[in-house]
Amino acid sequence: MLVPADETSIRDAAALLRGGGLVAFPTETVYGLGASALDARAAARIFEAKRRPSFDPLIVHIASVEMLAVVARDVPDSARVLMERFWPGPLTIVLRRSGAVPLVVTAGLQTVAVRMPSHPVARALLREAGLPVAAPSANEFGSLSSTRAEHVVASLGDRVDCILDGGPTTIGIESTILQLEPVPLLLRPGALPVEEIEAAIGPVERDATGASPSPGRVAHHYAPGTPLRIADSANVPLEERADAAYLGFATGACGYAAVRVLAPGGDPSEAAVHFFEYLHELDALGLSRIDAAPVAEVGLGLAIMDRLRRAAA
Ligand code: TXA
Ligand code: MG
């Protein structure tokens, strides 16, 4: 059920969440598929609806620092510094789980990933529900994230009790996920550039392939149905372009069946806004391939290249 997000629909959606229902809602990054983070059965429904493997933990969304105490314990000082500076916003912090969060939410881990979204609809929904809400991106597991309510309808449709339509998301790419202990470690590059985190708390380890993996970081992910490869058009012969689409960063290319340019001015945050949007559009054309231009891995470029590599894997 798709409804415009307003006071009434947000109130009804909050009641659904309290009753164990599934609600898709906009955040500033991508749409989330939410259920009560304190209700194991409700959270289990998320995994069913997304066809998500049970080893992949969910992010818990909160509206206030008071809610943090419900879901996490022993919060380190560095986390407080980051929350003060970047919440509400697109930063997810991995903390110690409190006993109130069922293990189905954390996929058996003793840690819990927490974020406070800044989107007004998400904030109103969380406040009205009065609950922490577990929410992965609102799309079938492994496929493109949803940056519009229509994407949620196409991907999950009737598996969701209510879809709140708050228009296109403003950032367009998922939150940055950070673990703090034993040392700060970037688990997923995302909408908050790691450079900004380092400016606040000092060096952050970037290679998360080692000891403390983020269970959901599977190699093939964020993928369109159309095969995708990372290729600068300069290296693609003309005869390979006719039945393919090109996703450029600052410039387009000729000879392709379809072309989208993420950021004609070269601004990475503009590229993030369009990233999933354009991939959804190009995917819908049913061409034989998408060539995506590589992006410089600084700022939001790191998150975009991460998504492109997984989509191409
Ligand atoms: O922007 C976002 O983060 C969006 C919106 C809806 O908030 N959510 C999102 O969730 O992208 P999802 O499920 O698509 O990605 C969450 C990832 C998991 O795949 C997993 O890698 C990581 O978060 N994660 C969750 N809990 C974790 C934990 N306790 N330890 C390590 N990684 C965790
Ligand atoms: Mg996801």
Side-chain angles (χ1 to χ4, degrees), residues 92-109:
T92 297
I93 306 178
V94 174
L95 298 166
R96 276 180 209 219
R97 178 183 78 94
S98 85
V101 180
L103 285 169
V104 59
V105 170
T106 65
L109 298 175

PDB file of all heavy atoms in Angstrom, residues 92-109:
ATOM      1  N   THR A  92      26.363   5.356  10.327  1.00  0.00           N
ATOM      2  CA  THR A  92      25.940   4.216  11.148  1.00  0.00           C
ATOM      3  C   THR A  92      27.123   3.775  11.991  1.00  0.00           C
ATOM      4  O   THR A  92      28.221   3.593  11.465  1.00  0.00           O
ATOM      5  CB  THR A  92      25.471   3.059  10.240  1.00  0.00           C
ATOM      6  OG1 THR A  92      24.334   3.499   9.491  1.00  0.00           O
ATOM      7  CG2 THR A  92      25.098   1.831  11.053  1.00  0.00           C
ATOM      8  N   ILE A  93      26.896   3.624  13.300  1.00  0.00           N
ATOM      9  CA  ILE A  93      27.983   3.261  14.209  1.00  0.00           C
ATOM     10  C   ILE A  93      27.693   1.882  14.821  1.00  0.00           C
ATOM     11  O   ILE A  93      26.577   1.630  15.295  1.00  0.00           O
ATOM     12  CB  ILE A  93      28.136   4.306  15.332  1.00  0.00           C
ATOM     13  CG1 ILE A  93      28.291   5.707  14.725  1.00  0.00           C
ATOM     14  CG2 ILE A  93      29.335   3.978  16.210  1.00  0.00           C
ATOM     15  CD1 ILE A  93      28.395   6.822  15.758  1.00  0.00           C
ATOM     16  N   VAL A  94      28.684   1.012  14.770  1.00  0.00           N
ATOM     17  CA  VAL A  94      28.540  -0.332  15.346  1.00  0.00           C
ATOM     18  C   VAL A  94      28.940  -0.273  16.824  1.00  0.00           C
ATOM     19  O   VAL A  94      30.048   0.126  17.160  1.00  0.00           O
ATOM     20  CB  VAL A  94      29.393  -1.358  14.572  1.00  0.00           C
ATOM     21  CG1 VAL A  94      29.369  -2.717  15.257  1.00  0.00           C
ATOM     22  CG2 VAL A  94      28.866  -1.482  13.139  1.00  0.00           C
ATOM     23  N   LEU A  95      27.996  -0.658  17.693  1.00  0.00           N
ATOM     24  CA  LEU A  95      28.178  -0.558  19.146  1.00  0.00           C
ATOM     25  C   LEU A  95      27.880  -1.900  19.800  1.00  0.00           C
ATOM     26  O   LEU A  95      27.457  -2.843  19.121  1.00  0.00           O
ATOM     27  CB  LEU A  95      27.214   0.507  19.692  1.00  0.00           C
ATOM     28  CG  LEU A  95      27.434   1.925  19.161  1.00  0.00           C
ATOM     29  CD1 LEU A  95      26.230   2.797  19.481  1.00  0.00           C
ATOM     30  CD2 LEU A  95      28.706   2.517  19.731  1.00  0.00           C
ATOM     31  N   ARG A  96      28.060  -1.967  21.121  1.00  0.00           N
ATOM     32  CA  ARG A  96      27.691  -3.199  21.822  1.00  0.00           C
ATOM     33  C   ARG A  96      26.182  -3.295  21.942  1.00  0.00           C
ATOM     34  O   ARG A  96      25.525  -2.329  22.315  1.00  0.00           O
ATOM     35  CB  ARG A  96      28.294  -3.208  23.213  1.00  0.00           C
ATOM     36  CG  ARG A  96      29.704  -3.713  23.165  1.00  0.00           C
ATOM     37  CD  ARG A  96      30.309  -3.722  24.527  1.00  0.00           C
ATOM     38  NE  ARG A  96      31.729  -3.528  24.317  1.00  0.00           N
ATOM     39  CZ  ARG A  96      32.673  -4.139  24.994  1.00  0.00           C
ATOM     40  NH1 ARG A  96      32.348  -4.942  25.967  1.00  0.00           N
ATOM     41  NH2 ARG A  96      33.931  -3.929  24.718  1.00  0.00           N
ATOM     42  N   ARG A  97      25.659  -4.464  21.659  1.00  0.00           N
ATOM     43  CA  ARG A  97      24.222  -4.708  21.678  1.00  0.00           C
ATOM     44  C   ARG A  97      23.703  -4.759  23.113  1.00  0.00           C
ATOM     45  O   ARG A  97      24.337  -5.348  23.985  1.00  0.00           O
ATOM     46  CB  ARG A  97      23.982  -6.071  21.009  1.00  0.00           C
ATOM     47  CG  ARG A  97      22.565  -6.558  20.950  1.00  0.00           C
ATOM     48  CD  ARG A  97      22.524  -7.949  20.332  1.00  0.00           C
ATOM     49  NE  ARG A  97      22.927  -8.978  21.273  1.00  0.00           N
ATOM     50  CZ  ARG A  97      22.083  -9.685  22.024  1.00  0.00           C
ATOM     51  NH1 ARG A  97      20.779  -9.482  21.923  1.00  0.00           N
ATOM     52  NH2 ARG A  97      22.529 -10.603  22.855  1.00  0.00           N
ATOM     53  N   SER A  98      22.541  -4.188  23.357  1.00  0.00           N
ATOM     54  CA  SER A  98      21.885  -4.378  24.651  1.00  0.00           C
ATOM     55  C   SER A  98      21.010  -5.626  24.539  1.00  0.00           C
ATOM     56  O   SER A  98      20.656  -6.042  23.431  1.00  0.00           O
ATOM     57  CB  SER A  98      21.009  -3.179  25.004  1.00  0.00           C
ATOM     58  OG  SER A  98      19.736  -3.332  24.407  1.00  0.00           O
ATOM     59  N   GLY A  99      20.619  -6.169  25.677  1.00  0.00           N
ATOM     60  CA  GLY A  99      19.796  -7.377  25.676  1.00  0.00           C
ATOM     61  C   GLY A  99      18.415  -7.172  25.077  1.00  0.00           C
ATOM     62  O   GLY A  99      17.735  -8.133  24.718  1.00  0.00           O
ATOM     63  N   ALA A 100      17.997  -5.910  24.901  1.00  0.00           N
ATOM     64  CA  ALA A 100      16.653  -5.650  24.376  1.00  0.00           C
ATOM     65  C   ALA A 100      16.548  -5.918  22.871  1.00  0.00           C
ATOM     66  O   ALA A 100      15.450  -6.072  22.340  1.00  0.00           O
ATOM     67  CB  ALA A 100      16.262  -4.196  24.664  1.00  0.00           C
ATOM     68  N   VAL A 101      17.701  -5.955  22.200  1.00  0.00           N
ATOM     69  CA  VAL A 101      17.677  -6.161  20.741  1.00  0.00           C
ATOM     70  C   VAL A 101      17.779  -7.657  20.441  1.00  0.00           C
ATOM     71  O   VAL A 101      18.795  -8.274  20.749  1.00  0.00           O
ATOM     72  CB  VAL A 101      18.845  -5.416  20.056  1.00  0.00           C
ATOM     73  CG1 VAL A 101      18.824  -5.632  18.555  1.00  0.00           C
ATOM     74  CG2 VAL A 101      18.794  -3.937  20.386  1.00  0.00           C
ATOM     75  N   PRO A 102      16.764  -8.242  19.835  1.00  0.00           N
ATOM     76  CA  PRO A 102      16.827  -9.687  19.573  1.00  0.00           C
ATOM     77  C   PRO A 102      17.952 -10.032  18.596  1.00  0.00           C
ATOM     78  O   PRO A 102      18.306  -9.234  17.721  1.00  0.00           O
ATOM     79  CB  PRO A 102      15.459 -10.007  18.964  1.00  0.00           C
ATOM     80  CG  PRO A 102      14.730  -8.736  18.799  1.00  0.00           C
ATOM     81  CD  PRO A 102      15.506  -7.628  19.404  1.00  0.00           C
ATOM     82  N   LEU A 103      18.485 -11.237  18.758  1.00  0.00           N
ATOM     83  CA  LEU A 103      19.635 -11.640  17.937  1.00  0.00           C
ATOM     84  C   LEU A 103      19.300 -11.753  16.456  1.00  0.00           C
ATOM     85  O   LEU A 103      20.182 -11.682  15.611  1.00  0.00           O
ATOM     86  CB  LEU A 103      20.206 -12.963  18.460  1.00  0.00           C
ATOM     87  CG  LEU A 103      21.013 -12.822  19.759  1.00  0.00           C
ATOM     88  CD1 LEU A 103      21.310 -14.187  20.363  1.00  0.00           C
ATOM     89  CD2 LEU A 103      22.307 -12.058  19.507  1.00  0.00           C
ATOM     90  N   VAL A 104      18.022 -11.907  16.130  1.00  0.00           N
ATOM     91  CA  VAL A 104      17.680 -11.974  14.701  1.00  0.00           C
ATOM     92  C   VAL A 104      18.040 -10.648  14.026  1.00  0.00           C
ATOM     93  O   VAL A 104      18.492 -10.615  12.878  1.00  0.00           O
ATOM     94  CB  VAL A 104      16.183 -12.342  14.493  1.00  0.00           C
ATOM     95  CG1 VAL A 104      15.249 -11.350  15.133  1.00  0.00           C
ATOM     96  CG2 VAL A 104      15.857 -12.482  13.016  1.00  0.00           C
ATOM     97  N   VAL A 105      17.916  -9.536  14.764  1.00  0.00           N
ATOM     98  CA  VAL A 105      18.242  -8.206  14.206  1.00  0.00           C
ATOM     99  C   VAL A 105      19.732  -8.102  13.904  1.00  0.00           C
ATOM    100  O   VAL A 105      20.134  -7.578  12.864  1.00  0.00           O
ATOM    101  CB  VAL A 105      17.816  -7.090  15.200  1.00  0.00           C
ATOM    102  CG1 VAL A 105      18.368  -5.740  14.772  1.00  0.00           C
ATOM    103  CG2 VAL A 105      16.300  -7.038  15.313  1.00  0.00           C
ATOM    104  N   THR A 106      20.564  -8.617  14.821  1.00  0.00           N
ATOM    105  CA  THR A 106      22.013  -8.465  14.663  1.00  0.00           C
ATOM    106  C   THR A 106      22.646  -9.695  14.017  1.00  0.00           C
ATOM    107  O   THR A 106      23.865  -9.805  13.960  1.00  0.00           O
ATOM    108  CB  THR A 106      22.685  -8.231  16.033  1.00  0.00           C
ATOM    109  OG1 THR A 106      22.526  -9.409  16.843  1.00  0.00           O
ATOM    110  CG2 THR A 106      22.067  -7.045  16.756  1.00  0.00           C
ATOM    111  N   ALA A 107      21.814 -10.587  13.519  1.00  0.00           N
ATOM    112  CA  ALA A 107      22.294 -11.819  12.882  1.00  0.00           C
ATOM    113  C   ALA A 107      23.245 -12.580  13.813  1.00  0.00           C
ATOM    114  O   ALA A 107      24.275 -13.084  13.386  1.00  0.00           O
ATOM    115  CB  ALA A 107      22.958 -11.516  11.537  1.00  0.00           C
ATOM    116  N   GLY A 108      22.889 -12.585  15.092  1.00  0.00           N
ATOM    117  CA  GLY A 108      23.670 -13.364  16.043  1.00  0.00           C
ATOM    118  C   GLY A 108      24.869 -12.634  16.643  1.00  0.00           C
ATOM    119  O   GLY A 108      25.524 -13.163  17.527  1.00  0.00           O
ATOM    120  N   LEU A 109      25.160 -11.432  16.163  1.00  0.00           N
ATOM    121  CA  LEU A 109      26.324 -10.689  16.675  1.00  0.00           C
ATOM    122  C   LEU A 109      26.016 -10.058  18.028  1.00  0.00           C
ATOM    123  O   LEU A 109      24.860  -9.762  18.339  1.00  0.00           O
ATOM    124  CB  LEU A 109      26.726  -9.586  15.685  1.00  0.00           C
ATOM    125  CG  LEU A 109      27.161 -10.026  14.292  1.00  0.00           C
ATOM    126  CD1 LEU A 109      27.405  -8.794  13.415  1.00  0.00           C
ATOM    127  CD2 LEU A 109      28.420 -10.880  14.377  1.00  0.00           C
TER     128      LEU A 109
END
